[in-house]
Amino acid sequence: MKPLDVAVCGCGPAGLAAALLLARAGHRVRIFERFETPRPVGSGLIIQPTGLGVLEELGLGAELASLGARIDRLCGRVVPSNRVVLDVRYAVLRGGQHGVAVQRPALFGILSRAVSAAGVELTPGVEIAAVDQGGARAQLLAKSGQRLGDFDLVVNALGARSPLSMPQARRTVLPYGALWANVPWPANSPFPANALEQRYFRASRMAGILPVGRAEADAPSLAAFFWSLRRDRFESWRAASIADWKREVAELWPEAAAALDGIVDHQQLIFATYDHFTLRTPWAGRLVHIGDAAHSTSPQLGQGGNMALLDALALGRALHSDGDLQQRLHAYARMRFWHVRLFQAASAMFTPFYQSDSRLLPLVRDWLAAPLSQLPVGSRLLARLVAGMTVPPLGKSR
Ligand SMILES: Cc1cc2nc3c(=O)[nH]c(=O)nc-3n(C[C@H](O)[C@H](O)[C@H](O)COP(=O)(O)OP(=O)(O)OC[C@H]3O[C@@H](n4cnc5c(N)ncnc54)[C@H](O)[C@@H]3O)c2cc1C
C-alpha cells in the first residue's frame, strides 16, 4: 500500500503507539493533542504480558522494565478477617510471565521519545471536535472551527470521552470511581515490592497499593494508592477534612496509613470516574477508533492500557495487509473482535463484585469464587484472564 497521510488524535498510549507503528511503516503521521504540553493523565497502571509483548515489538520493553516495578502477584484481602480472596500469581503461567507496573509519565516518556525520534509531527493545544467525511479525504476539525487538514485516515485515540466516538457509543457511567495518588514507596514498607495489595470491606470499600517504579532513571520509586468512592459522594468527600478521610483509610487498612503521610490536601488526589461502552464497529469510512475511544471500562481487570497498545499493533498490522483501505480497517476490527468483547464483558461482570453497594456479590466473591480460584485450574484461568491471554489478542493472526 502506498504511504498514507494519517492524523492520529490523542497522545495517550493508544495514539502514541499507533503513531510510532505507522510512522515506522512509512506513513506520513501527524499527532493532535489538546494539551499545550502533552502530558499523561492519571497515576499508574500495570502493563500485562500482552502489553509487554507490544512494547517488546516496538523495541521499548527493556526501557519499560528499567523504570517500572515487576509484578508477580495481585493479592486482595477482606477486612476484618484478613482472609485472601483474590490471589493471582503469574508464576502459574508458562514462560516466566509477569506484569510491569509503571507510572504514567514513565510510559508516556518512553513512547513519546520514540515517536519524536521517528520524526512524527506533533500539534499540541488543539481540541479535536469532528471529522468531516463528505469529500474524497477526511477533514479534521478543531472545536475552534479551524480545519486542521485533510487525511487518508484519521485515528481516533481520544480516550473514553472522545467526541469522535459519538453517536455510536452508548455510554454507561459507572456508579463507583476511585481516588488516586502517587505516594513515596514507604520506607521499611510492610508491602511486597512485586505485588498489588488490596483490601476490601464488602464491595463498598476498596483500597489498593501498587508499586509503580520511577518516572525517570534518577527519580524516586513511588507507589500508586487508590481508594474506591461513589461518584455521588465525591462532593461530600471534598467538603470533609482530609484528616477525616485518612482516619477512614486507617480504619480499613492500618498498615497503609503511613503511605499517606505526605497527603495533606484533597488536590493531591485525582478522582477518576469510569465509562463503560464498546463500539460495535470500530471504523467508518476513513475514521478508525482505537483504545478507550473504541471500548472503555472500569480498570478492575487492569486491561485498558494493554488493550490500547494491542489495538495500535492490530491497526499497524492490518494497514500492512492486502486490500483497499476499507478491507484493511475491516481486518483490524476482525483481529480485535473477540479479545475486546471478552474483556469488556469480564470487566462489566467483575466490577460489581469489587465496587458496588451489593451485600450478596461480595459474599459470592469471598465464599464461592475465592475458593474456586485457589484450585489449580481456577488459579490458571484467573492468571490467564488478568494477563490478557484468555483468547489470542490479535485473533488468528498472532
Ligand atoms: C484510575 C485508572 C486506573 C487504571 N489502571 C489501569 C491498569 O492498571 N492497567 C491498564 O491497562 N489500564 C488501566 N487503566 C485504563 C487505562 O488508563 C486506559 O485504558 C488507557 O489510558 C487508554 O489509553 P488511550 O490512549 O486510549 O486513551 P487516554 O489515555 O485517555 O488518552 C487520550 C488522549 O487524548 C487527549 N484528548 C482527549 N480528548 C481530546 C480532544 N477532544 N482533543 C484533543 N486531544 C484530546 C487526552 O488529553 C489524552 O492525551 C486505568 C484507568 C484509570 C482511569
Side-chain angles (χ1 to χ4, degrees), residues 10-15 32-35 44-46 104 126-128 157-159 163 180 272 274 290-293 299 302-306 308:
C11 239
F32 297 88
E33 165 61 45
R34 67 181 163 187
F35 290 135
L45 73 169
I46 302 180
R104 277 169 199 265
V126 278
E127 181 140 8
I128 303 297
L158 294 177
W180 286 77
Y274 312 128
I290 63 172
D292 275 16
Q303 299 296 318
N306 299 279

PDB file of all heavy atoms in Angstrom, residues 10-15 32-35 44-46 104 126-128 157-159 163 180 272 274 290-293 299 302-306 308, ligand 1:
ATOM      1  N   GLY A  10      -4.853  12.330  19.763  1.00  0.00           N
ATOM      2  CA  GLY A  10      -4.670  11.917  21.154  1.00  0.00           C
ATOM      3  C   GLY A  10      -3.301  11.331  21.404  1.00  0.00           C
ATOM      4  O   GLY A  10      -2.776  10.555  20.616  1.00  0.00           O
ATOM      5  N   CYS A  11      -2.727  11.758  22.528  1.00  0.00           N
ATOM      6  CA  CYS A  11      -1.352  11.416  22.905  1.00  0.00           C
ATOM      7  C   CYS A  11      -1.314  10.435  24.066  1.00  0.00           C
ATOM      8  O   CYS A  11      -0.375  10.452  24.859  1.00  0.00           O
ATOM      9  CB  CYS A  11      -0.684  12.708  23.363  1.00  0.00           C
ATOM     10  SG  CYS A  11       0.730  13.116  22.407  1.00  0.00           S
ATOM     11  N   GLY A  12      -2.333   9.589  24.214  1.00  0.00           N
ATOM     12  CA  GLY A  12      -2.305   8.543  25.244  1.00  0.00           C
ATOM     13  C   GLY A  12      -1.538   7.338  24.708  1.00  0.00           C
ATOM     14  O   GLY A  12      -0.963   7.402  23.613  1.00  0.00           O
ATOM     15  N   PRO A  13      -1.538   6.217  25.443  1.00  0.00           N
ATOM     16  CA  PRO A  13      -0.808   5.036  24.982  1.00  0.00           C
ATOM     17  C   PRO A  13      -1.260   4.569  23.599  1.00  0.00           C
ATOM     18  O   PRO A  13      -0.423   4.199  22.766  1.00  0.00           O
ATOM     19  CB  PRO A  13      -1.125   3.963  26.029  1.00  0.00           C
ATOM     20  CG  PRO A  13      -1.663   4.693  27.211  1.00  0.00           C
ATOM     21  CD  PRO A  13      -2.153   6.030  26.767  1.00  0.00           C
ATOM     22  N   ALA A  14      -2.570   4.620  23.322  1.00  0.00           N
ATOM     23  CA  ALA A  14      -3.066   4.154  22.016  1.00  0.00           C
ATOM     24  C   ALA A  14      -2.528   5.033  20.892  1.00  0.00           C
ATOM     25  O   ALA A  14      -1.976   4.532  19.906  1.00  0.00           O
ATOM     26  CB  ALA A  14      -4.594   4.151  21.994  1.00  0.00           C
ATOM     27  N   GLY A  15      -2.679   6.354  21.038  1.00  0.00           N
ATOM     28  CA  GLY A  15      -2.269   7.281  19.982  1.00  0.00           C
ATOM     29  C   GLY A  15      -0.768   7.232  19.747  1.00  0.00           C
ATOM     30  O   GLY A  15      -0.309   7.172  18.603  1.00  0.00           O
ATOM     31  N   PHE A  32      -2.324  15.062  16.963  1.00  0.00           N
ATOM     32  CA  PHE A  32      -3.002  16.255  17.504  1.00  0.00           C
ATOM     33  C   PHE A  32      -3.390  15.976  18.948  1.00  0.00           C
ATOM     34  O   PHE A  32      -3.919  14.899  19.245  1.00  0.00           O
ATOM     35  CB  PHE A  32      -4.258  16.581  16.689  1.00  0.00           C
ATOM     36  CG  PHE A  32      -3.941  16.932  15.264  1.00  0.00           C
ATOM     37  CD1 PHE A  32      -3.859  15.938  14.292  1.00  0.00           C
ATOM     38  CD2 PHE A  32      -3.709  18.249  14.900  1.00  0.00           C
ATOM     39  CE1 PHE A  32      -3.548  16.266  12.976  1.00  0.00           C
ATOM     40  CE2 PHE A  32      -3.408  18.577  13.579  1.00  0.00           C
ATOM     41  CZ  PHE A  32      -3.328  17.586  12.614  1.00  0.00           C
ATOM     42  N   GLU A  33      -3.127  16.935  19.833  1.00  0.00           N
ATOM     43  CA  GLU A  33      -3.399  16.718  21.268  1.00  0.00           C
ATOM     44  C   GLU A  33      -3.917  18.022  21.867  1.00  0.00           C
ATOM     45  O   GLU A  33      -3.440  19.107  21.507  1.00  0.00           O
ATOM     46  CB  GLU A  33      -2.095  16.244  21.947  1.00  0.00           C
ATOM     47  CG  GLU A  33      -2.059  16.303  23.456  1.00  0.00           C
ATOM     48  CD  GLU A  33      -3.114  15.427  24.140  1.00  0.00           C
ATOM     49  OE1 GLU A  33      -3.291  14.267  23.748  1.00  0.00           O
ATOM     50  OE2 GLU A  33      -3.756  15.938  25.083  1.00  0.00           O
ATOM     51  N   ARG A  34      -4.853  17.903  22.806  1.00  0.00           N
ATOM     52  CA  ARG A  34      -5.462  19.134  23.359  1.00  0.00           C
ATOM     53  C   ARG A  34      -4.516  19.898  24.298  1.00  0.00           C
ATOM     54  O   ARG A  34      -4.585  21.113  24.397  1.00  0.00           O
ATOM     55  CB  ARG A  34      -6.763  18.810  24.094  1.00  0.00           C
ATOM     56  CG  ARG A  34      -6.568  18.011  25.337  1.00  0.00           C
ATOM     57  CD  ARG A  34      -7.842  17.670  26.048  1.00  0.00           C
ATOM     58  NE  ARG A  34      -7.591  16.581  26.977  1.00  0.00           N
ATOM     59  CZ  ARG A  34      -8.498  15.963  27.657  1.00  0.00           C
ATOM     60  NH1 ARG A  34      -9.756  16.296  27.523  1.00  0.00           N
ATOM     61  NH2 ARG A  34      -8.172  15.003  28.487  1.00  0.00           N
ATOM     62  N   PHE A  35      -3.652  19.172  25.016  1.00  0.00           N
ATOM     63  CA  PHE A  35      -2.769  19.866  25.962  1.00  0.00           C
ATOM     64  C   PHE A  35      -1.679  20.624  25.216  1.00  0.00           C
ATOM     65  O   PHE A  35      -1.134  20.141  24.232  1.00  0.00           O
ATOM     66  CB  PHE A  35      -2.114  18.863  26.912  1.00  0.00           C
ATOM     67  CG  PHE A  35      -3.083  18.253  27.892  1.00  0.00           C
ATOM     68  CD1 PHE A  35      -3.075  16.887  28.140  1.00  0.00           C
ATOM     69  CD2 PHE A  35      -3.998  19.041  28.577  1.00  0.00           C
ATOM     70  CE1 PHE A  35      -3.966  16.319  29.034  1.00  0.00           C
ATOM     71  CE2 PHE A  35      -4.900  18.482  29.471  1.00  0.00           C
ATOM     72  CZ  PHE A  35      -4.875  17.124  29.704  1.00  0.00           C
ATOM     73  N   GLY A  44      -0.854   5.355  37.928  1.00  0.00           N
ATOM     74  CA  GLY A  44      -0.006   4.239  37.491  1.00  0.00           C
ATOM     75  C   GLY A  44      -0.860   3.136  36.916  1.00  0.00           C
ATOM     76  O   GLY A  44      -2.073   3.115  37.101  1.00  0.00           O
ATOM     77  N   LEU A  45      -0.242   2.238  36.179  1.00  0.00           N
ATOM     78  CA  LEU A  45      -1.016   1.110  35.632  1.00  0.00           C
ATOM     79  C   LEU A  45      -0.111  -0.098  35.444  1.00  0.00           C
ATOM     80  O   LEU A  45       1.108   0.034  35.400  1.00  0.00           O
ATOM     81  CB  LEU A  45      -1.723   1.491  34.328  1.00  0.00           C
ATOM     82  CG  LEU A  45      -0.937   1.671  33.051  1.00  0.00           C
ATOM     83  CD1 LEU A  45      -1.907   1.781  31.871  1.00  0.00           C
ATOM     84  CD2 LEU A  45      -0.081   2.906  33.096  1.00  0.00           C
ATOM     85  N   ILE A  46      -0.764  -1.273  35.376  1.00  0.00           N
ATOM     86  CA  ILE A  46       0.015  -2.498  35.176  1.00  0.00           C
ATOM     87  C   ILE A  46       0.021  -2.838  33.694  1.00  0.00           C
ATOM     88  O   ILE A  46      -1.037  -2.960  33.070  1.00  0.00           O
ATOM     89  CB  ILE A  46      -0.580  -3.686  35.959  1.00  0.00           C
ATOM     90  CG1 ILE A  46      -0.641  -3.381  37.454  1.00  0.00           C
ATOM     91  CG2 ILE A  46       0.246  -4.953  35.715  1.00  0.00           C
ATOM     92  CD1 ILE A  46      -1.213  -4.506  38.305  1.00  0.00           C
ATOM     93  N   ARG A 104       2.440   6.599  34.887  1.00  0.00           N
ATOM     94  CA  ARG A 104       2.047   7.042  33.541  1.00  0.00           C
ATOM     95  C   ARG A 104       3.124   7.926  32.891  1.00  0.00           C
ATOM     96  O   ARG A 104       3.372   7.795  31.697  1.00  0.00           O
ATOM     97  CB  ARG A 104       0.709   7.759  33.591  1.00  0.00           C
ATOM     98  CG  ARG A 104      -0.401   6.747  33.580  1.00  0.00           C
ATOM     99  CD  ARG A 104      -1.724   7.392  33.895  1.00  0.00           C
ATOM    100  NE  ARG A 104      -2.628   6.352  34.297  1.00  0.00           N
ATOM    101  CZ  ARG A 104      -3.479   5.751  33.477  1.00  0.00           C
ATOM    102  NH1 ARG A 104      -3.562   6.110  32.230  1.00  0.00           N
ATOM    103  NH2 ARG A 104      -4.266   4.803  33.922  1.00  0.00           N
ATOM    104  N   VAL A 126      -4.645  21.694  20.510  1.00  0.00           N
ATOM    105  CA  VAL A 126      -5.868  21.751  19.685  1.00  0.00           C
ATOM    106  C   VAL A 126      -6.876  20.738  20.198  1.00  0.00           C
ATOM    107  O   VAL A 126      -6.541  19.572  20.436  1.00  0.00           O
ATOM    108  CB  VAL A 126      -5.632  21.429  18.183  1.00  0.00           C
ATOM    109  CG1 VAL A 126      -5.131  22.626  17.431  1.00  0.00           C
ATOM    110  CG2 VAL A 126      -4.771  20.225  17.973  1.00  0.00           C
ATOM    111  N   GLU A 127      -8.088  21.224  20.414  1.00  0.00           N
ATOM    112  CA  GLU A 127      -9.152  20.327  20.860  1.00  0.00           C
ATOM    113  C   GLU A 127      -9.899  19.820  19.629  1.00  0.00           C
ATOM    114  O   GLU A 127     -10.536  20.596  18.912  1.00  0.00           O
ATOM    115  CB  GLU A 127     -10.085  21.076  21.817  1.00  0.00           C
ATOM    116  CG  GLU A 127     -11.181  20.183  22.309  1.00  0.00           C
ATOM    117  CD  GLU A 127     -11.503  20.392  23.787  1.00  0.00           C
ATOM    118  OE1 GLU A 127     -10.987  21.329  24.404  1.00  0.00           O
ATOM    119  OE2 GLU A 127     -12.311  19.586  24.281  1.00  0.00           O
ATOM    120  N   ILE A 128      -9.815  18.532  19.383  1.00  0.00           N
ATOM    121  CA  ILE A 128     -10.470  17.927  18.213  1.00  0.00           C
ATOM    122  C   ILE A 128     -11.969  17.819  18.496  1.00  0.00           C
ATOM    123  O   ILE A 128     -12.369  17.393  19.587  1.00  0.00           O
ATOM    124  CB  ILE A 128      -9.906  16.507  17.946  1.00  0.00           C
ATOM    125  CG1 ILE A 128      -8.387  16.556  17.752  1.00  0.00           C
ATOM    126  CG2 ILE A 128     -10.614  15.842  16.763  1.00  0.00           C
ATOM    127  CD1 ILE A 128      -7.924  17.333  16.574  1.00  0.00           C
ATOM    128  N   ALA A 157      -7.899   8.345  18.891  1.00  0.00           N
ATOM    129  CA  ALA A 157      -7.315   7.777  20.122  1.00  0.00           C
ATOM    130  C   ALA A 157      -7.523   8.797  21.234  1.00  0.00           C
ATOM    131  O   ALA A 157      -6.622   9.068  22.029  1.00  0.00           O
ATOM    132  CB  ALA A 157      -5.842   7.464  19.898  1.00  0.00           C
ATOM    133  N   LEU A 158      -8.738   9.386  21.274  1.00  0.00           N
ATOM    134  CA  LEU A 158      -9.023  10.497  22.204  1.00  0.00           C
ATOM    135  C   LEU A 158      -9.528  10.019  23.563  1.00  0.00           C
ATOM    136  O   LEU A 158      -9.961  10.830  24.369  1.00  0.00           O
ATOM    137  CB  LEU A 158     -10.033  11.461  21.568  1.00  0.00           C
ATOM    138  CG  LEU A 158      -9.541  12.233  20.334  1.00  0.00           C
ATOM    139  CD1 LEU A 158     -10.659  13.091  19.757  1.00  0.00           C
ATOM    140  CD2 LEU A 158      -8.340  13.104  20.676  1.00  0.00           C
ATOM    141  N   GLY A 159      -9.516   8.702  23.807  1.00  0.00           N
ATOM    142  CA  GLY A 159      -9.912   8.217  25.124  1.00  0.00           C
ATOM    143  C   GLY A 159     -11.417   8.072  25.278  1.00  0.00           C
ATOM    144  O   GLY A 159     -12.198   8.252  24.328  1.00  0.00           O
ATOM    145  N   PRO A 163     -15.136  12.904  21.446  1.00  0.00           N
ATOM    146  CA  PRO A 163     -16.302  13.348  20.663  1.00  0.00           C
ATOM    147  C   PRO A 163     -16.415  12.573  19.346  1.00  0.00           C
ATOM    148  O   PRO A 163     -17.503  12.512  18.781  1.00  0.00           O
ATOM    149  CB  PRO A 163     -16.009  14.829  20.393  1.00  0.00           C
ATOM    150  CG  PRO A 163     -14.538  14.994  20.601  1.00  0.00           C
ATOM    151  CD  PRO A 163     -14.103  13.948  21.578  1.00  0.00           C
ATOM    152  N   TRP A 180      -7.096   8.563  43.336  1.00  0.00           N
ATOM    153  CA  TRP A 180      -5.759   8.028  43.045  1.00  0.00           C
ATOM    154  C   TRP A 180      -4.700   9.039  43.439  1.00  0.00           C
ATOM    155  O   TRP A 180      -4.882  10.233  43.244  1.00  0.00           O
ATOM    156  CB  TRP A 180      -5.584   7.763  41.549  1.00  0.00           C
ATOM    157  CG  TRP A 180      -6.319   6.570  41.053  1.00  0.00           C
ATOM    158  CD1 TRP A 180      -7.655   6.484  40.797  1.00  0.00           C
ATOM    159  CD2 TRP A 180      -5.773   5.286  40.739  1.00  0.00           C
ATOM    160  NE1 TRP A 180      -7.961   5.228  40.348  1.00  0.00           N
ATOM    161  CE2 TRP A 180      -6.833   4.471  40.293  1.00  0.00           C
ATOM    162  CE3 TRP A 180      -4.481   4.744  40.778  1.00  0.00           C
ATOM    163  CZ2 TRP A 180      -6.639   3.153  39.895  1.00  0.00           C
ATOM    164  CZ3 TRP A 180      -4.296   3.429  40.377  1.00  0.00           C
ATOM    165  CH2 TRP A 180      -5.365   2.648  39.954  1.00  0.00           C
ATOM    166  N   ALA A 272     -11.013   9.623  39.549  1.00  0.00           N
ATOM    167  CA  ALA A 272     -11.276   9.063  38.208  1.00  0.00           C
ATOM    168  C   ALA A 272     -12.651   8.411  38.209  1.00  0.00           C
ATOM    169  O   ALA A 272     -12.975   7.642  39.124  1.00  0.00           O
ATOM    170  CB  ALA A 272     -10.217   8.019  37.862  1.00  0.00           C
ATOM    171  N   TYR A 274     -15.462   6.163  35.710  1.00  0.00           N
ATOM    172  CA  TYR A 274     -15.300   5.203  34.619  1.00  0.00           C
ATOM    173  C   TYR A 274     -16.560   5.096  33.776  1.00  0.00           C
ATOM    174  O   TYR A 274     -17.656   4.965  34.294  1.00  0.00           O
ATOM    175  CB  TYR A 274     -14.976   3.816  35.185  1.00  0.00           C
ATOM    176  CG  TYR A 274     -13.887   3.832  36.220  1.00  0.00           C
ATOM    177  CD1 TYR A 274     -14.065   3.242  37.480  1.00  0.00           C
ATOM    178  CD2 TYR A 274     -12.667   4.446  35.955  1.00  0.00           C
ATOM    179  CE1 TYR A 274     -13.060   3.265  38.435  1.00  0.00           C
ATOM    180  CE2 TYR A 274     -11.657   4.477  36.897  1.00  0.00           C
ATOM    181  CZ  TYR A 274     -11.862   3.888  38.136  1.00  0.00           C
ATOM    182  OH  TYR A 274     -10.867   3.913  39.073  1.00  0.00           O
ATOM    183  N   ILE A 290      -9.476   3.567  18.243  1.00  0.00           N
ATOM    184  CA  ILE A 290      -8.620   2.629  18.990  1.00  0.00           C
ATOM    185  C   ILE A 290      -8.590   3.026  20.471  1.00  0.00           C
ATOM    186  O   ILE A 290      -8.908   4.152  20.839  1.00  0.00           O
ATOM    187  CB  ILE A 290      -7.176   2.572  18.424  1.00  0.00           C
ATOM    188  CG1 ILE A 290      -6.468   3.933  18.545  1.00  0.00           C
ATOM    189  CG2 ILE A 290      -7.166   2.101  16.970  1.00  0.00           C
ATOM    190  CD1 ILE A 290      -4.979   3.866  18.179  1.00  0.00           C
ATOM    191  N   GLY A 291      -8.170   2.074  21.313  1.00  0.00           N
ATOM    192  CA  GLY A 291      -8.038   2.351  22.748  1.00  0.00           C
ATOM    193  C   GLY A 291      -9.376   2.634  23.398  1.00  0.00           C
ATOM    194  O   GLY A 291     -10.432   2.148  22.958  1.00  0.00           O
ATOM    195  N   ASP A 292      -9.335   3.465  24.449  1.00  0.00           N
ATOM    196  CA  ASP A 292     -10.557   3.779  25.204  1.00  0.00           C
ATOM    197  C   ASP A 292     -11.620   4.445  24.330  1.00  0.00           C
ATOM    198  O   ASP A 292     -12.802   4.429  24.682  1.00  0.00           O
ATOM    199  CB  ASP A 292     -10.237   4.709  26.382  1.00  0.00           C
ATOM    200  CG  ASP A 292      -9.774   3.931  27.608  1.00  0.00           C
ATOM    201  OD1 ASP A 292      -9.409   2.748  27.459  1.00  0.00           O
ATOM    202  OD2 ASP A 292      -9.758   4.513  28.708  1.00  0.00           O
ATOM    203  N   ALA A 293     -11.228   5.042  23.218  1.00  0.00           N
ATOM    204  CA  ALA A 293     -12.213   5.664  22.325  1.00  0.00           C
ATOM    205  C   ALA A 293     -13.068   4.601  21.637  1.00  0.00           C
ATOM    206  O   ALA A 293     -14.166   4.889  21.182  1.00  0.00           O
ATOM    207  CB  ALA A 293     -11.496   6.519  21.277  1.00  0.00           C
ATOM    208  N   PRO A 299     -11.211   0.015  35.532  1.00  0.00           N
ATOM    209  CA  PRO A 299      -9.891  -0.620  35.486  1.00  0.00           C
ATOM    210  C   PRO A 299      -9.785  -1.871  36.364  1.00  0.00           C
ATOM    211  O   PRO A 299      -8.690  -2.300  36.703  1.00  0.00           O
ATOM    212  CB  PRO A 299      -8.964   0.485  36.000  1.00  0.00           C
ATOM    213  CG  PRO A 299      -9.812   1.330  36.858  1.00  0.00           C
ATOM    214  CD  PRO A 299     -11.226   1.213  36.369  1.00  0.00           C
ATOM    215  N   GLY A 302      -7.642  -4.240  34.939  1.00  0.00           N
ATOM    216  CA  GLY A 302      -6.356  -3.634  34.558  1.00  0.00           C
ATOM    217  C   GLY A 302      -5.952  -3.913  33.124  1.00  0.00           C
ATOM    218  O   GLY A 302      -4.789  -4.212  32.846  1.00  0.00           O
ATOM    219  N   GLN A 303      -6.892  -3.795  32.184  1.00  0.00           N
ATOM    220  CA  GLN A 303      -6.568  -4.148  30.797  1.00  0.00           C
ATOM    221  C   GLN A 303      -6.524  -2.942  29.861  1.00  0.00           C
ATOM    222  O   GLN A 303      -6.002  -3.052  28.752  1.00  0.00           O
ATOM    223  CB  GLN A 303      -7.610  -5.140  30.251  1.00  0.00           C
ATOM    224  CG  GLN A 303      -7.671  -6.441  31.001  1.00  0.00           C
ATOM    225  CD  GLN A 303      -6.383  -7.244  30.900  1.00  0.00           C
ATOM    226  OE1 GLN A 303      -5.787  -7.324  29.844  1.00  0.00           O
ATOM    227  NE2 GLN A 303      -5.955  -7.827  31.994  1.00  0.00           N
ATOM    228  N   GLY A 304      -7.091  -1.790  30.261  1.00  0.00           N
ATOM    229  CA  GLY A 304      -7.318  -0.690  29.319  1.00  0.00           C
ATOM    230  C   GLY A 304      -6.067  -0.243  28.576  1.00  0.00           C
ATOM    231  O   GLY A 304      -6.075  -0.117  27.350  1.00  0.00           O
ATOM    232  N   GLY A 305      -4.977  -0.009  29.295  1.00  0.00           N
ATOM    233  CA  GLY A 305      -3.735   0.437  28.648  1.00  0.00           C
ATOM    234  C   GLY A 305      -3.194  -0.635  27.714  1.00  0.00           C
ATOM    235  O   GLY A 305      -2.673  -0.343  26.628  1.00  0.00           O
ATOM    236  N   ASN A 306      -3.347  -1.874  28.130  1.00  0.00           N
ATOM    237  CA  ASN A 306      -2.867  -3.006  27.313  1.00  0.00           C
ATOM    238  C   ASN A 306      -3.695  -3.157  26.050  1.00  0.00           C
ATOM    239  O   ASN A 306      -3.175  -3.403  24.974  1.00  0.00           O
ATOM    240  CB  ASN A 306      -2.933  -4.292  28.144  1.00  0.00           C
ATOM    241  CG  ASN A 306      -2.056  -4.184  29.370  1.00  0.00           C
ATOM    242  OD1 ASN A 306      -0.862  -4.378  29.290  1.00  0.00           O
ATOM    243  ND2 ASN A 306      -2.639  -3.807  30.507  1.00  0.00           N
ATOM    244  N   ALA A 308      -5.223  -0.782  24.597  1.00  0.00           N
ATOM    245  CA  ALA A 308      -4.870   0.358  23.739  1.00  0.00           C
ATOM    246  C   ALA A 308      -3.633   0.006  22.909  1.00  0.00           C
ATOM    247  O   ALA A 308      -3.584   0.263  21.699  1.00  0.00           O
ATOM    248  CB  ALA A 308      -4.609   1.593  24.605  1.00  0.00           C
TER     249      ALA A 308
HETATM  250  C1  LIG B   1      -7.652   5.284  37.601  1.00  0.00           C
HETATM  251  C2  LIG B   1      -7.342   4.391  36.437  1.00  0.00           C
HETATM  252  C3  LIG B   1      -6.550   3.258  36.616  1.00  0.00           C
HETATM  253  C4  LIG B   1      -6.255   2.438  35.538  1.00  0.00           C
HETATM  254  N1  LIG B   1      -5.469   1.335  35.721  1.00  0.00           N
HETATM  255  C5  LIG B   1      -5.145   0.570  34.650  1.00  0.00           C
HETATM  256  C6  LIG B   1      -4.243  -0.559  34.763  1.00  0.00           C
HETATM  257  O1  LIG B   1      -3.756  -0.924  35.830  1.00  0.00           O
HETATM  258  N2  LIG B   1      -3.941  -1.232  33.637  1.00  0.00           N
HETATM  259  C7  LIG B   1      -4.423  -0.859  32.418  1.00  0.00           C
HETATM  260  O2  LIG B   1      -4.079  -1.494  31.399  1.00  0.00           O
HETATM  261  N3  LIG B   1      -5.280   0.176  32.293  1.00  0.00           N
HETATM  262  C8  LIG B   1      -5.649   0.895  33.360  1.00  0.00           C
HETATM  263  N4  LIG B   1      -6.488   1.949  33.211  1.00  0.00           N
HETATM  264  C9  LIG B   1      -7.051   2.239  31.889  1.00  0.00           C
HETATM  265  C10 LIG B   1      -6.056   2.997  31.007  1.00  0.00           C
HETATM  266  O3  LIG B   1      -5.569   4.115  31.670  1.00  0.00           O
HETATM  267  C11 LIG B   1      -6.731   3.434  29.743  1.00  0.00           C
HETATM  268  O4  LIG B   1      -7.396   2.331  29.186  1.00  0.00           O
HETATM  269  C12 LIG B   1      -5.696   3.962  28.748  1.00  0.00           C
HETATM  270  O5  LIG B   1      -5.084   5.133  29.230  1.00  0.00           O
HETATM  271  C13 LIG B   1      -6.364   4.234  27.415  1.00  0.00           C
HETATM  272  O6  LIG B   1      -5.444   4.813  26.552  1.00  0.00           O
HETATM  273  P1  LIG B   1      -5.921   5.714  25.358  1.00  0.00           P
HETATM  274  O7  LIG B   1      -4.665   6.157  24.668  1.00  0.00           O
HETATM  275  O8  LIG B   1      -6.959   5.011  24.593  1.00  0.00           O
HETATM  276  O9  LIG B   1      -6.667   6.977  25.999  1.00  0.00           O
HETATM  277  P2  LIG B   1      -6.138   8.075  27.031  1.00  0.00           P
HETATM  278  O10 LIG B   1      -5.022   7.549  27.840  1.00  0.00           O
HETATM  279  O11 LIG B   1      -7.346   8.578  27.727  1.00  0.00           O
HETATM  280  O12 LIG B   1      -5.541   9.231  26.087  1.00  0.00           O
HETATM  281  C14 LIG B   1      -6.384  10.106  25.360  1.00  0.00           C
HETATM  282  C15 LIG B   1      -5.561  11.337  24.932  1.00  0.00           C
HETATM  283  O13 LIG B   1      -6.390  12.158  24.104  1.00  0.00           O
HETATM  284  C16 LIG B   1      -6.340  13.520  24.560  1.00  0.00           C
HETATM  285  N5  LIG B   1      -7.652  14.117  24.240  1.00  0.00           N
HETATM  286  C17 LIG B   1      -8.855  13.779  24.766  1.00  0.00           C
HETATM  287  N6  LIG B   1      -9.851  14.487  24.187  1.00  0.00           N
HETATM  288  C18 LIG B   1      -9.247  15.303  23.278  1.00  0.00           C
HETATM  289  C19 LIG B   1      -9.748  16.241  22.308  1.00  0.00           C
HETATM  290  N7  LIG B   1     -11.064  16.497  22.162  1.00  0.00           N
HETATM  291  N8  LIG B   1      -8.845  16.874  21.504  1.00  0.00           N
HETATM  292  C20 LIG B   1      -7.506  16.619  21.596  1.00  0.00           C
HETATM  293  N9  LIG B   1      -6.992  15.730  22.493  1.00  0.00           N
HETATM  294  C21 LIG B   1      -7.844  15.081  23.319  1.00  0.00           C
HETATM  295  C22 LIG B   1      -6.090  13.397  26.048  1.00  0.00           C
HETATM  296  O14 LIG B   1      -5.507  14.591  26.563  1.00  0.00           O
HETATM  297  C23 LIG B   1      -5.115  12.209  26.095  1.00  0.00           C
HETATM  298  O15 LIG B   1      -3.787  12.623  25.880  1.00  0.00           O
HETATM  299  C24 LIG B   1      -6.800   2.767  34.266  1.00  0.00           C
HETATM  300  C25 LIG B   1      -7.598   3.893  34.104  1.00  0.00           C
HETATM  301  C26 LIG B   1      -7.872   4.702  35.176  1.00  0.00           C
HETATM  302  C27 LIG B   1      -8.736   5.938  34.972  1.00  0.00           C
END
